[in-house]
Amino acid sequence: MADLNIHIKDLHFKNPVTTASGTFGFGEEFMEFMDLNLLGGIFVKGLTIKNREGNEYPRMAETPSGMLNAVGLQNKGVDYFVNSIYPRIKHLHTEIIPNVNGGTVEDYLMVTEKLNETEGINAIELNISCPNVKEGGMAFGVSCPSAVAVTEAIRKVWKKTLIVKLSPNVTDITEIAKGVEGAGADAVSLVNTFLGMAIDAEKRKPILSTVTGGLSGPAIKPIALRMVWQVYQVVKIPIIGMGGIMNATDAIEFMLAGASAIQVGTANFIDPQVSLRIIDGIEKYLAGHHYKKAGDIVGQLMT
Amino acid sequence: MADLNIHIKDLHFKNPVTTASGTFGFGEEFMEFMDLNLLGGIFVKGLTIKNREGNEYPRMAETPSGMLNAVGLQNKGVDYFVNSIYPRIKHLHTEIIPNVNGGTVEDYLMVTEKLNETEGINAIELNISCPNVKEGGMAFGVSCPSAVAVTEAIRKVWKKTLIVKLSPNVTDITEIAKGVEGAGADAVSLVNTFLGMAIDAEKRKPILSTVTGGLSGPAIKPIALRMVWQVYQVVKIPIIGMGGIMNATDAIEFMLAGASAIQVGTANFIDPQVSLRIIDGIEKYLAGHHYKKAGDIVGQLMT
Amino acid sequence: MKQIRDFRVKAYDRLNEDNYIIELGCDEELPAIKAGNFAEIQVPQTADVFLRRPFSILDADHKNRSLKFYVKAIGKGTRKLGELAEGTKVNLIFPLGNSFNTDHIRHALIAGGGSGIAPFILLAKELKEKKIKTIFLLGARTREDVFLADEFAKYGEVLITTEDGSLGDKGLITQHSIFSKHDFPYDKIFTCGPDPMMKAVARIAAKKGVNCEASLENMMACGFGACLCCVTETLDGNKCVCTAGPVFDTKYLKWQI
Amino acid sequence: MKQIRDFRVKAYDRLNEDNYIIELGCDEELPAIKAGNFAEIQVPQTADVFLRRPFSILDADHKNRSLKFYVKAIGKGTRKLGELAEGTKVNLIFPLGNSFNTDHIRHALIAGGGSGIAPFILLAKELKEKKIKTIFLLGARTREDVFLADEFAKYGEVLITTEDGSLGDKGLITQHSIFSKHDFPYDKIFTCGPDPMMKAVARIAAKKGVNCEASLENMMACGFGACLCCVTETLDGNKCVCTAGPVFDTKYLKWQI
Ligand SMILES: Cc1cc2nc3c(=O)[nH]c(=O)nc-3n(C[C@H](O)[C@H](O)[C@H](O)COP(=O)(O)OP(=O)(O)OC[C@H]3O[C@@H](n4cnc5c(N)ncnc54)[C@H](O)[C@@H]3O)c2cc1C
Ligand SMILES: Cc1cc2nc3c(=O)[nH]c(=O)nc-3n(C[C@H](O)[C@H](O)[C@H](O)COP(=O)(O)OP(=O)(O)OC[C@H]3O[C@@H](n4cnc5c(N)ncnc54)[C@H](O)[C@@H]3O)c2cc1C
Ligand SMILES: Cc1cc2nc3c(=O)[nH]c(=O)nc-3n(C[C@H](O)[C@H](O)[C@H](O)COP(=O)(O)O)c2cc1C
Ligand SMILES: Cc1cc2nc3c(=O)[nH]c(=O)nc-3n(C[C@H](O)[C@H](O)[C@H](O)COP(=O)(O)O)c2cc1C
Ligand code: FES
Ligand code: FES
């Protein structure tokens, strides 16, 4: 059987399949559906320094081959995660990666410092691309100087693996990717959701309470794939790819385009066991094409 | 019956439903399917100064709720259009709007000047957003200064209605929209296709000969709708909206978000008669909601 | 224990043009199912429906390994679900959500508005088993919108209100005389239906000092607590209707009532 | 005249696991259909297929107002099209494309590779009507991949090659002895199948100075000349296979042969 292991500095994925932040809760929601130890890693729901109630209902709209969400980083704050949630999931034999959010650089720093003290956490994902919060979030990720600034600040305090999650809502994602690489990121993850909107024509009203929200699902796959491929041409650090992955073929496409690992997001809602099927499918593909390890297909698109 | 007429300077659409450039040929391909005189207007296939063979086959990939194309502006040049095609379609009682393309500002100017001399053409659509050509195209549309420069240059020579077609592949589409408005555009049309990519995992190759192509269809609708709504907040000139419109409800959503008229693109491939159904549906909606004219719903989203 | 399981369409019971009961059967034994539980159904054979759709479990037949759902066709998914050929595979995640609390009740009032009747057949069965006296108050726009009244009659007295007076009392559910009568013998109200109606019922319950549980139908993306899309405001902040609900004690909800 | 018309699934003829003939019927009279024409079929009841799919018209029964298509299931759309219940509505745009030129032929050779046989039933009928002697050369990987041989036998002699030799001559279609025999009586070759095979046939035709027409199967988004996606390189530049083709004189194609 092919070797599926992926190492990104302190981080060790036993296979390239991880779950995307905000689509997999804290893992516990899926325990009845699967053995979580089989996953490469779990990117848990976005954390902020304080408790956040998130946006008002309605927060969701279905769209063709996708969905919009406007959750707005509802979470009980990093302390609650560290003290109450993490102890319940730290025994899992899979990497648990917190997704770090903030309205200001200081916020990001404070969250990171709390996690610094938590044993067993080998990596954080810096979310500079959330389109659903009024302050911070995506604002950091759509300008290169601010993306660099927050990455540099966190790099100073976080010594283990630092993953920066990029926004697709930009003219040139390669510029931002190079910027955060220069600022010390160990990996980039992309993409977060696309800013979109849905309207109820009969009521003449937006469907989401926040008017706009983040688009995810297969609809965005072609754009996400293009971005991964573009970023792969310009950075040396590993890429964790995502955006509409529904099955193993999709995952393999992202890997061929340059992703060392992938995240499964919206697909979890439709088939909570989909990640296991994706792991199986990648194994079969590697075997069928006589590859020795998962890393052998990364970036191997013949153009 | 509600008044469906839309006027944009010299341009008069008898209803808000037009067909998108590159998806409706020169109208003739649809004559067997419908009475073209019923359409508000026809945006014909992109024109360049010289004959272009376009990109190599394969030029198309199906994606979830959408498609990628990499046609690359195949056309016989503006002279052929003016001398051979236009005489065959000028009798139609609908607006025929050429879509103007170029690799340099001079190219755009030369095409425009040829059209200047052609009677009956009341408007041109400046395509600064084609993602499928190596030179020019989208490059103009993703930077504000170059979008402004080409618009200003054309404005000097084209006195009738000037529509500038915007690229969605930007961080902030409102900035570009404001720029071209300032440069003298009479209207903006948005969106062109999103830069995307498709991969054949078994062959480990891109599906398109050009690796990347333009994503269209319902997949992009939520993002396109958001962009129309954002642009509506910042410009005073009319907006022609498009991106994934498949039925009357979609069209009405774009109008509520701020579009004075809409273009039907990819949907023409699946149902060549879809535009007529959309006109019908808009009429029914206006009647059902007791509106006197189509213009009354433009931008009437209650947020 | 939550299951992800393939079922097959066994039969439809067409109540009228837009309302139907769908019966789905499977091969394995059903898990325990409680009144109020729902299922996330993946609607097959359509390009229009991306996410699963949540439906209350109307009835569970453990012997025949089948589930029934009452569905009102209001959109793409609910229409398609009503058009499947017998034998079509339909995937379910179930049972989801919490359930009604039937402890310490002497006399229950069930108030179902419009299509908000689905969770009440299982509830009626549970109440009957517990020998709790139950009265059913069904409100609808017209007589054509009153469903399952005969079924409920098996479990207790059925009262009906219609807005146009075409069946039962004329008016809204909350205008029914049982609420204005001096004698209000009920010590628990269960309600499901349109939000304004549930709020009105909750208001009456609060006034009368009677405990009231409502089953909410918020928009859901997952149905099992992963997406945080389905929240409702409670005294403890935003809670997911799919995990903390769908049944809530109305006192706990931050409804402007 | 091109039509957009609803048909209904009448019947399937399952050739083997992956190959089938689907018969679609409609209520109105069929328009004139020529050998080589194709239809753009909208595959219903699936989320996976966005665009229509092009298929050559295998046969047209004007009396019974039905069309037949031979389909090889290779992906999402072709698999779904093989699973529809009788009576399912299927929308078609047809007839599309040009047709074979059967003028001034004395002796025709039809070379069909793999699944590239669909356009040849109508062609065989036309040739027979015109009393043009025709020989059929069918090439496939194994005997399991040879279809409709009995059908073609009604219109002329049938020769078969299989790569593994399980039926007919062993080898590729172009390795069949008729090409190496001194006597080559055919003055027209029609071919359809995988590109490399059609190119090889065209090469032989060029060498022998015989006119050759090939039916191409490029990827299409529309099928009627609107999108310019389906091009093939010709001596006159890029041409749409859906309108300038699908049938091309191979001399006109810029094939590296
Ligand atoms: C826990 C729970 C239990 C439910 N039980 C039942 C049941 O037993 N029987 C039944 O018929 N329905 C029930 N519903 C509602 C049902 O899920 C929706 O009617 C269904 O999802 C609509 O799908 P659709 O594709 O037909 O509608 P769509 O085509 O997606 O939408 C049509 C219209 O309905 C609106 N809409 C869709 N879903 C909802 C919703 N959940 N709340 C409010 N508006 C909505 C949309 O905004 C749109 O305007 C339940 C919902 C929940 C959350
Ligand atoms: C004019 C014309 C006539 C045709 N006639 C017939 C016919 O009579 N019988 C028949 O079985 N098929 C015919 N085809 C081919 C048929 O259209 C494709 O097999 C079908 O579109 C595949 O759809 P799918 O959804 O099953 O494949 P998908 O799931 O979309 O694709 C599966 C795989 O097949 C490849 N593929 C898909 N379509 C084509 C294509 N057109 N050319 C090359 N590769 C492709 C894809 O890249 C992918 O790798 C014809 C095509 C054309 C253009
Ligand atoms: C409901 C929902 C909530 C999300 N919450 C977060 C979050 O808290 N932090 C984050 O970085 N990304 C969040 N995302 C984005 C996903 O992690 C992922 O980047 C995106 O959904 C694209 O992948 P997909 O198409 O596979 O879903 C969320 C997405 C969804 C659908
Ligand atoms: C095959 C194809 C060719 C296109 N060619 C052009 C073109 O020549 N000029 C142009 O401005 N836009 C072109 N477009 C973009 C469309 O006009 C439209 O902006 C886009 O497809 C989004 O709308 P839709 O989702 O409704 O298709 C093309 C789109 C497609 C699918
Ligand atoms: S629907 Fe996803 S958390 Fe409730
Ligand atoms: S398929 Fe659209 S032009 Fe041929």
Side-chain angles (χ1 to χ4, degrees):
Chain A
M1 211 193 74
D3 175 6
L4 297 180
N5 292 281
I6 305 280
H7 294 268
I8 305 179
K9 225 172 92 171
D10 307 87
L11 197 64
H12 167 227
F13 293 147
K14 63 167 72 79
N15 63 60
V17 181
T18 69
T19 54
S21 177
T23 68
F24 209 72
F26 294 96
E28 294 172 301
E29 294 77 0
F30 290 76
M31 277 183 185
E32 286 180 77
F33 300 125
M34 64 158 86
D35 178 357
L36 296 171
N37 298 308
L38 298 173
L39 294 171
I42 299 173
F43 286 80
V44 297
K45 176 67 196 165
L47 302 173
T48 50
I49 187 70
K50 292 221 187 83
N51 175 67
R52 274 182 68 94
E53 286 299 324
N55 294 317
E56 257 178 58
Y57 178 83
R59 295 178 172 185
M60 193 275 286
E62 191 182 67
T63 66
S65 298
M67 63 173 277
L68 289 161
N69 89 80
V71 170
L73 293 174
Q74 176 177 332
N75 80 102
K76 294 207 163 109
V78 64
D79 284 332
Y80 186 83
F81 171 75
V82 167
N83 300 324
S84 302
I85 302 175
Y86 187 63
R88 295 199 306 258
I89 54 176
K90 65 190 277 189
H91 67 277
L92 290 171
H93 293 288
T94 186
E95 294 278 5
I96 306 287
I97 302 130
N99 178 265
V100 172
N101 294 270
T104 61
V105 174
E106 288 65 45
D107 283 354
Y108 282 101
L109 276 171
M110 282 191 287
V111 175
T112 306
E113 273 158 4
K114 301 272 184 185
L115 295 165
N116 241 334
E117 297 148 23
T118 311
E119 227 196 278
I121 292 189
N122 299 321
I124 57 169
E125 182 180 47
L126 211 60
N127 182 10
I128 57 168
S129 45
C130 180
N132 292 325
V133 288
K134 283 217 185 81
E135 288 165 2
M138 197 174 96
F140 283 101
V142 296
S143 129
C144 195
S146 63
V148 166
V150 63
T151 308
E152 274 176 350
I154 299 299
R155 181 73 290 177
K156 284 203 192 104
V157 304
W158 180 260
K159 299 304 168 199
K160 290 181 273 180
T161 306
L162 174 61
I163 304 164
V164 180
K165 184 162 180 181
L166 306 183
S167 171
N169 299 292
V170 293
T171 307
D172 184 2
I173 197 164
T174 65
E175 189 203 349
I176 318 260
K178 281 186 291 189
V180 303
E181 177 181 41
D186 299 310
V188 284
S189 56
L190 56 146
V191 298
N192 209 314
T193 53
F194 288 75
L195 196 62
M197 178 171 172
I199 290 175
D200 184 324
E202 282 309 311
K203 299 197 185 120
R204 283 184 292 138
K205 279 194 187 160
I207 295 182
L208 301 174
S209 70
T210 47
V211 185
T212 61
L215 182 66
S216 64
I220 67 170
K221 195 189 83 171
I223 318 179
L225 205 52
R226 180 263 295 180
M227 291 184 167
V228 166
W229 180 72
Q230 285 181 325
V231 169
Y232 184 73
Q233 319 298 311
V234 302
V235 300
K236 294 201 178 60
I237 51 175
I239 297 167
I240 303 174
M242 83 200 85
I245 294 176
M246 298 296 281
N247 52 48
T249 307
D250 293 337
I252 291 160
E253 289 170 22
F254 274 87
M255 294 178 74
L256 291 169
S260 296
I262 59 100
Q263 293 182 19
V264 180
T266 306
N268 292 307
F269 304 154
I270 295 165
D271 177 2
Q273 296 165 336
V274 69
S275 298
L276 302 186
R277 276 190 249 283
I278 293 175
I279 298 168
D280 271 7
I282 293 176
E283 274 182 8
K284 291 213 181 80
Y285 180 91
L286 294 172
H289 289 74
H290 310 292
Y291 287 105
K292 293 227 174 60
K293 46 186 210 295
D296 287 349
I297 64 169
V298 175
Q300 292 310 299
L301 187 73
M302 300 182 291
T303 55
Chain B
M1 211 193 75
D3 174 5
L4 296 180
N5 291 283
I6 304 281
H7 294 269
I8 306 180
K9 224 172 93 171
D10 307 88
L11 197 63
H12 166 226
F13 294 147
K14 64 167 71 80
N15 63 60
V17 180
T18 69
T19 55
S21 178
T23 68
F24 209 71
F26 294 97
E28 294 173 299
E29 294 77 0
F30 289 76
M31 277 183 186
E32 285 180 79
F33 300 125
M34 64 158 88
D35 178 357
L36 296 172
N37 299 308
L38 298 173
L39 293 172
I42 299 174
F43 287 80
V44 298
K45 176 68 196 165
L47 303 173
T48 50
I49 187 69
K50 291 220 187 85
N51 176 66
R52 274 182 68 95
E53 287 298 325
N55 294 317
E56 257 179 57
Y57 178 84
R59 295 178 173 185
M60 193 275 285
E62 190 182 67
T63 66
S65 298
M67 63 174 278
L68 288 162
N69 90 80
V71 170
L73 292 173
Q74 176 176 333
N75 79 105
K76 294 206 162 109
V78 64
D79 284 333
Y80 186 84
F81 171 75
V82 167
N83 301 323
S84 302
I85 300 174
Y86 188 62
R88 294 200 307 258
I89 53 175
K90 63 190 279 191
H91 69 277
L92 291 172
H93 294 288
T94 187
E95 294 278 6
I96 306 286
I97 302 130
N99 178 267
V100 172
N101 294 269
T104 61
V105 174
E106 288 65 45
D107 284 353
Y108 281 102
L109 276 171
M110 283 191 288
V111 175
T112 305
E113 272 158 4
K114 300 272 184 186
L115 294 166
N116 241 335
E117 297 149 24
T118 310
E119 227 194 277
I121 292 189
N122 299 321
I124 57 170
E125 181 179 48
L126 211 61
N127 182 10
I128 56 167
S129 44
C130 180
N132 293 324
V133 289
K134 282 215 185 82
E135 288 166 1
M138 195 174 96
F140 283 102
V142 296
S143 126
C144 195
S146 63
V148 167
V150 62
T151 307
E152 274 176 351
I154 299 299
R155 180 74 289 178
K156 285 203 191 105
V157 304
W158 180 260
K159 299 303 168 198
K160 289 181 275 179
T161 307
L162 175 59
I163 304 163
V164 180
K165 185 163 179 180
L166 305 182
S167 171
N169 298 292
V170 294
T171 307
D172 184 2
I173 198 163
T174 65
E175 190 203 349
I176 318 261
K178 281 185 289 186
V180 303
E181 176 181 43
D186 299 310
V188 284
S189 57
L190 58 146
V191 298
N192 209 314
T193 53
F194 288 75
L195 196 63
M197 179 172 172
I199 290 175
D200 185 324
E202 282 309 310
K203 300 197 184 121
R204 282 183 292 139
K205 279 194 187 159
I207 294 181
L208 301 174
S209 69
T210 46
V211 185
T212 61
L215 182 66
S216 63
I220 67 170
K221 196 188 83 170
I223 318 180
L225 205 54
R226 180 264 296 180
M227 290 183 167
V228 166
W229 179 73
Q230 285 181 324
V231 169
Y232 185 72
Q233 319 298 311
V234 301
V235 301
K236 294 202 179 59
I237 52 176
I239 297 168
I240 303 174
M242 83 200 83
I245 294 176
M246 298 296 281
N247 53 47
T249 308
D250 293 338
I252 291 159
E253 289 170 22
F254 274 88
M255 295 178 73
L256 290 170
S260 297
I262 59 98
Q263 294 182 19
V264 180
T266 305
N268 292 308
F269 305 155
I270 295 164
D271 177 2
Q273 297 165 335
V274 68
S275 299
L276 303 187
R277 275 190 251 283
I278 292 175
I279 298 169
D280 272 6
I282 293 176
E283 275 182 7
K284 290 213 182 79
Y285 180 90
L286 293 174
H289 289 74
H290 310 292
Y291 287 105
K292 293 228 171 61
K293 46 187 211 293
D296 287 349
I297 64 168
V298 176
Q300 293 309 301
L301 187 74
M302 300 181 291
T303 54
Chain C
M1 178 82 179
K2 290 170 200 152
Q3 319 269 324
I4 307 178
R5 193 187 286 188
D6 277 339
F7 280 70
R8 295 206 174 260
V9 176
K10 282 180 88 167
Y12 284 104
D13 182 2
R14 313 262 169 210
L15 305 177
N16 69 8
E17 215 185 300
D18 291 332
N19 292 266
Y20 58 89
I21 290 169
I22 182 171
E23 185 178 358
L24 302 170
C26 66
D27 298 332
E28 285 164 78
E29 243 175 80
L30 295 178
I33 286 164
K34 289 191 179 156
N37 286 171
F38 68 98
E40 279 282 354
I41 301 188
Q42 191 166 20
V43 181
Q45 301 190 350
T46 165
D48 290 337
V49 182
F50 175 64
L51 298 163
R52 289 173 183 262
R53 296 289 190 265
F55 297 95
S56 298
I57 297 173
L58 177 72
D59 212 346
D61 182 338
H62 290 268
K63 214 183 78 202
N64 288 308
R65 296 169 181 184
S66 79
L67 295 175
K68 279 188 184 163
F69 297 90
Y70 155 76
V71 182
K72 182 181 172 76
I74 61 153
K76 309 173 298 268
T78 45
R79 259 192 291 277
K80 184 71 207 178
L81 196 60
E83 292 170 357
L84 302 172
E86 208 190 296
T88 306
K89 226 194 309 189
V90 179
N91 189 274
L92 266 65
I93 306 182
F94 79 108
L96 298 169
N98 68 354
S99 53
F100 295 104
N101 183 348
T102 55
D103 292 344
H104 315 298
I105 309 179
R106 273 173 298 106
H107 199 162
L109 167 62
I110 289 182
S115 57
I117 47 172
F120 292 143
I121 293 288
L122 282 180
L123 179 61
K125 289 188 179 178
E126 182 176 324
L127 291 168
K128 190 176 184 181
E129 207 155 278
K130 287 192 165 184
K131 305 214 167 64
I132 298 166
K133 196 169 161 195
T134 305
I135 188 162
F136 298 89
L137 178 56
L138 307 180
R141 251 176 6 90
T142 78
R143 60 181 303 146
E144 273 75 43
D145 306 316
V146 179
F147 302 108
L148 302 183
D150 293 352
E151 196 58 30
F152 286 118
K154 296 182 191 160
Y155 305 96
E157 188 186 355
V158 175
L159 303 172
I160 288 169
T161 64
T162 53
E163 288 176 38
D164 66 355
S166 53
L167 193 70
D169 284 18
K170 180 170 171 152
L172 297 173
I173 213 168
T174 43
Q175 293 169 331
H176 193 276
S177 57
I178 57 164
F179 291 115
S180 47
K181 264 191 224 155
H182 184 70
D183 179 37
F184 193 78
Y186 320 103
D187 57 352
K188 177 96 182 205
I189 304 178
F190 298 101
T191 186
C192 184
D195 268 17
M197 171 246 161
M198 289 197 288
K199 287 179 186 173
V201 170
R203 203 179 303 129
I204 293 180
K207 248 193 248 160
K208 298 202 182 276
V210 171
N211 182 257
C212 176
E213 284 189 337
S215 180
L216 269 50
E217 294 197 353
N218 278 11
M219 307 263 273
M220 296 181 173
C222 71
F224 49 86
C227 74
L228 309 188
C229 286
C230 62
V231 291
T232 193
E233 262 192 287
T234 72
L235 299 183
D236 291 333
N238 281 328
K239 292 285 168 202
C240 286
V241 170
C242 69
T243 48
V247 180
F248 289 92
D249 185 327
T250 54
K251 280 200 307 293
Y252 183 64
L253 295 173
K254 258 195 165 170
W255 276 353
Q256 263 91 42
I257 55 172
Chain D
M1 177 82 178
K2 289 169 200 153
Q3 319 270 323
I4 308 178
R5 194 186 286 186
D6 278 339
F7 281 69
R8 295 207 174 260
V9 176
K10 281 180 88 166
Y12 285 102
D13 181 3
R14 313 262 168 209
L15 306 175
N16 70 8
E17 214 185 302
D18 290 333
N19 292 265
Y20 59 88
I21 290 169
I22 181 170
E23 185 179 358
L24 301 171
C26 66
D27 299 331
E28 286 164 76
E29 243 174 80
L30 295 178
I33 286 164
K34 290 192 178 153
N37 286 171
F38 68 99
E40 280 281 355
I41 301 188
Q42 192 167 18
V43 181
Q45 301 190 349
T46 164
D48 289 337
V49 182
F50 175 63
L51 298 163
R52 288 173 184 264
R53 296 289 191 264
F55 298 96
S56 298
I57 296 172
L58 178 73
D59 211 346
D61 182 338
H62 290 268
K63 214 183 78 203
N64 288 309
R65 297 170 181 183
S66 79
L67 296 175
K68 279 186 184 165
F69 298 90
Y70 155 76
V71 182
K72 182 181 170 77
I74 62 154
K76 307 173 297 268
T78 45
R79 258 192 291 277
K80 184 70 206 180
L81 196 60
E83 292 171 357
L84 302 172
E86 207 191 297
T88 305
K89 226 193 312 188
V90 180
N91 189 274
L92 266 64
I93 306 182
F94 79 107
L96 297 170
N98 68 356
S99 54
F100 295 105
N101 182 349
T102 55
D103 292 344
H104 316 297
I105 309 178
R106 274 174 299 104
H107 199 161
L109 168 62
I110 290 181
S115 55
I117 47 170
F120 293 144
I121 293 287
L122 282 180
L123 179 60
K125 288 189 179 178
E126 181 176 325
L127 291 168
K128 190 174 183 182
E129 208 155 277
K130 286 193 165 182
K131 304 213 168 63
I132 298 166
K133 196 169 161 196
T134 305
I135 188 163
F136 299 89
L137 179 56
L138 308 179
R141 250 174 7 88
T142 79
R143 59 180 305 147
E144 273 75 43
D145 306 316
V146 180
F147 302 109
L148 302 183
D150 294 352
E151 197 56 31
F152 287 118
K154 296 182 189 160
Y155 305 95
E157 187 186 356
V158 175
L159 303 172
I160 288 167
T161 64
T162 51
E163 288 176 39
D164 65 356
S166 52
L167 193 68
D169 283 18
K170 180 171 170 152
L172 298 173
I173 213 169
T174 44
Q175 293 169 331
H176 194 275
S177 56
I178 58 165
F179 292 114
S180 46
K181 265 194 223 152
H182 184 71
D183 179 36
F184 193 79
Y186 320 103
D187 57 352
K188 178 94 181 206
I189 304 178
F190 299 100
T191 186
C192 183
D195 269 16
M197 171 245 161
M198 290 197 287
K199 287 179 186 172
V201 170
R203 202 179 303 130
I204 293 180
K207 246 193 252 162
K208 297 200 182 278
V210 171
N211 182 258
C212 178
E213 284 187 337
S215 179
L216 269 50
E217 296 196 351
N218 279 11
M219 306 264 273
M220 296 180 173
C222 71
F224 49 85
C227 74
L228 309 187
C229 286
C230 62
V231 291
T232 192
E233 260 191 288
T234 74
L235 300 183
D236 292 332
N238 281 328
K239 292 284 169 203
C240 286
V241 169
C242 69
T243 48
V247 180
F248 290 91
D249 185 327
T250 55
K251 281 200 305 294
Y252 183 65
L253 295 173
K254 258 195 163 170
W255 275 354
Q256 262 91 43
I257 53 173

